[in-house]
Structure formats: structure tokens, C-alpha cells
Amino acid sequence: VVYPFDPPPRCHFQRAPMLSPLNEKVRRLTRLNIDHACFDEAYVSRSPGEFIEELQALNPVEIWVGRDFRFGRDRKGVLNELAAVFNVQVMDPVCCPCGKVISSTRIRLLIAEGRREEAQALLGR
């Protein structure tokens, strides 16, 4: 089960440009042979406890997140809360060949600077 945010929090709250439309996310996720993708705009209003309760109903074997993962309304849920209930695995940041972290912020900056080819490469396109 994958919980991709649509729209991503930065797009929802800060009106940042969307990097991948929903149909593209679904197409890419399909290639990963996942069983379910949960898209739900209500995530932004759920409390951290409500989010954890929903995950408990799924009974996950493990949960993979990034180091800066926050969840629930106002991003109040922190990694330690999740790890107290579930087997949480923290992913290291993904870096490009030059060693810089690949992030949506970096990609948006490249696009704003007119460096579209570099941005597209970081997006895996």
C-alpha cells in the first residue's frame, strides 16, 4: 500500500507547482506492482492519532518513510510516534551522481531557473 499525497503538502499549503499530476503518479506506481494506492485529500485534516489508527487497520509489516516525515494535521505527528506503534524503516535521502540530495524543492528551483533538462533527469524522465 502506498500513500502518495495528492496534492503534495507543499502544493496544497504553499501553492508550489505540481511536479507530477495524479495520472502520472498512478502510472508510475502501477509499474511497481503495488496492491493499493490511497489518495485522500482528508489526510491534511486528520490528527496524527487518526492516521495511526487507519494504518493499524491495515496491519503493515513495515512502514518506510524519509527522515523528515511528518504526518497528521499541521504536521504534528513525528517519526517517534509512528515507530512506537509500527516497524518503521527510515530511508536515506536519494542523491544524484554528483552527490546532491534529490528533492522536490531542488527540482522546482531548477525549473524556475530554466534548467528543465536537469530537472527532468532528477525526476527520472
Side-chain angles (χ1 to χ4, degrees):
V1 176
V2 176
Y3 277 81
F5 294 99
D6 188 71
R10 188 153 299 191
C11 298
H12 181 83
F13 293 109
Q14 299 170 358
R15 303 291 181 226
M18 178 97 59
L19 296 176
S20 297
L22 181 58
N23 64 344
E24 183 177 334
K25 287 180 188 177
V26 170
R27 184 177 53 80
R28 287 174 178 260
L29 289 169
T30 300
R31 286 193 227 149
L32 297 175
N33 295 320
I34 62 165
D35 294 320
H36 301 282
C38 300
F39 297 94
D40 186 349
E41 287 187 40
Y43 286 124
V44 297
S45 63
R46 284 192 181 109
S47 70
E50 290 169 323
F51 184 72
I52 286 175
E53 285 175 14
E54 182 173 330
L55 290 176
Q56 284 176 312
L58 295 171
N59 194 27
V61 173
E62 59 188 9
I63 297 174
W64 286 81
V65 297
R67 290 195 189 288
D68 61 350
F69 180 72
R70 304 291 295 258
F71 60 96
R73 185 175 37 252
D74 299 326
R75 298 186 56 183
K76 288 185 179 177
V78 294
L79 195 54
N80 290 343
E81 289 177 87
L82 204 59
V85 181
F86 303 104
N87 176 14
V88 175
Q89 303 297 318
V90 179
M91 294 176 55
D92 289 328
V94 177
C95 296
C96 65
C98 72
K100 291 183 180 179
V101 172
I102 299 173
S103 69
S104 59
T105 300
R106 180 175 171 211
I107 292 168
R108 286 186 184 95
L109 181 62
L110 290 169
I111 292 169
E113 292 174 350
R115 298 163 61 187
R116 289 197 166 278
E117 282 185 33
E118 194 174 342
Q120 294 295 324
L122 294 180
L123 286 167
R125 299 181 186 150

